Amino acid sequence: MQGELYVYNTLTKKKEKFQALTPPFVGMYVCGPTVYNDVHIGNCRTFISFDIVFRYLQHLGYKVRYVRNITDVGHLENDADNGEDKIAKKAKLENLEPMEIVQKYTNGFHDVMKAFNVLSPSIEPTATAHLVEQIETTQQIIDKGFAYVSNGSVYFDVEKFAKTNHYGELSGRKIDELISATRENLDGQDDKKSSLDFALWKQASPEHIMQWNSPWGKGFPGWHLECSVMSTKYLGEQFDIHGGGMDLKFPHHECEIAQNKAANGKEAVKYWLHANMLTLNGEKMSKSTGKFFLPSQLFTGESEFVSKAYSPMTVRFFMMQCHYASTLDFSDEALQAAEKGFKRILAATALLPELKTSENSQVDVTELSKRCYDSMNDDFNTPMVVATLFDAVKEINLVKQGSKTISVEHVAVLQKLFNDFLIDIMGIIPEEEKGNDVANGLMEVILDLRKDAKQNKNYTMSDKIRDELKALNIVIKDTKEGTEWTYEK
RNA sequence: GGUCCUGUGGCCGAGCGGCUAGGCAGAGGUCUGCAAAACCUUCCACAGCGGUUCGAAUCCGCUCGGGACCUCCA
């Protein structure tokens, strides 16, 4: 039933059959956030995408060690020698200790992840907790001859590395073109032999507040290094999956590949997976351009981009309707459409336990299950899973209105289908919006009064009750079985 | 400028050689006191021009849009 999983490997640009290096174990590393300010919805998309990968691999029975780092040092504003560390800069700005910044935004990140029902990774290492390892790896790369010390900093020698290795393989870049393209702008990079070179270790100026001792003097690690070091430490020199946002392909992931290869001579990663960008009016959401918005703005509806509040699960469902490797455009209209569809799915699943069953079943539940697995196996194609779930919704409704029959066994299969794919794999928890006991009791009284009014053909009264409840966001539906009510925000 | 991705109906978004994607919106209908919901039916597509093929949204070429990366970004 489950079939074979195929994943699109951005290194080979092909869909490949997924074969774990050492089954049933899978090692997966995903580049986490730099915690110098709030994560935006675009950031969230990447982590939700890899949450699906994590969940599905586990569903298939793999024992996954999922490492997702927190970058808390070394991420510079730009590549120049005087480039400021993002966290140090923010610390100055907010007048806080750098580690306070780190803590503050790490907490915020975790809160958002929790709201989106993103599972915690197995290990969430930070760069500052792995300085010793980063210094060791830097030394290792120097010893292998692929890095050089210059004025208290250590740089990776890209051109030398490229003579014996394929630098640019992941991002499709050619070393000669890179050299000629960047030769002109060498401003402020005097310590480097080539502008292509990147820092493994950076000398800290005296006023720099984040600095540590090293064999090369006081400094701090380069951004790319932490991922190489921590993935190696927790997943070994070779592991199965490395993920991250598309925008990290170059230079970050390219540098990671080079570092790993230089340090231990091995290709570390078997499958590279890249999640695509979330766009806003067709353009990439980005912290640096200010074109983004925050999850909290979405949940409260306080943004010029949205007309109302959307729940975290609605947003997650919205993202499931698009493949992770395609860009997804964010708009109020699209969110509204997703919200309506999502409610329809929830309404149908709620009907499931109370469906009238028969001996014969006219619902092809095997086909529905198969389609869900086939879709997930085809590079985690959640939009196709969602489409299949909507087909299941249609079947449920047909049974409900008596146009089709279903057996007890098949109801159980459908129940499992929604549990597996909607809840476990896509991570969407049905949001119960049931009132408390008092509210339920009150509603019972009110609906009873309305029922009396209707029986007496006092429609003025029954409509008044309905209209006034509507004004309180309570929606009433008269069905054959009686009157239902829901509270809608 | 270089490298790469992309252009699907009113909107979002799958499909990637032949078979209805799906959701939302629109129209008609069934049901209903009326609504709502649900279901049924229906409308609206593959940027343009060539080529390959028995057959192309799907492959190839060109043209025209849009975007990403080449500085920091998930």
Side-chain angles (χ1 to χ4, degrees), chain A residues 233-249:
Chain A
K233 172 155 180 159
Y234 297 111
L235 300 173
E237 290 184 343
Q238 292 183 298
F239 56 96
D240 300 285
I241 296 173
H242 190 125
M246 205 73 104
D247 50 356
L248 295 184
K249 247 176 154 179

Side-chain angles (χ1 to χ4, degrees), chain A residues 131-147:
Chain A
L131 285 156
V132 173
E133 291 88 340
Q134 292 182 81
I135 289 168
E136 280 171 7
T137 303
T138 301
Q139 188 59 56
Q140 221 175 325
I141 297 174
I142 295 173
D143 294 345
K144 294 275 169 76
F146 290 116

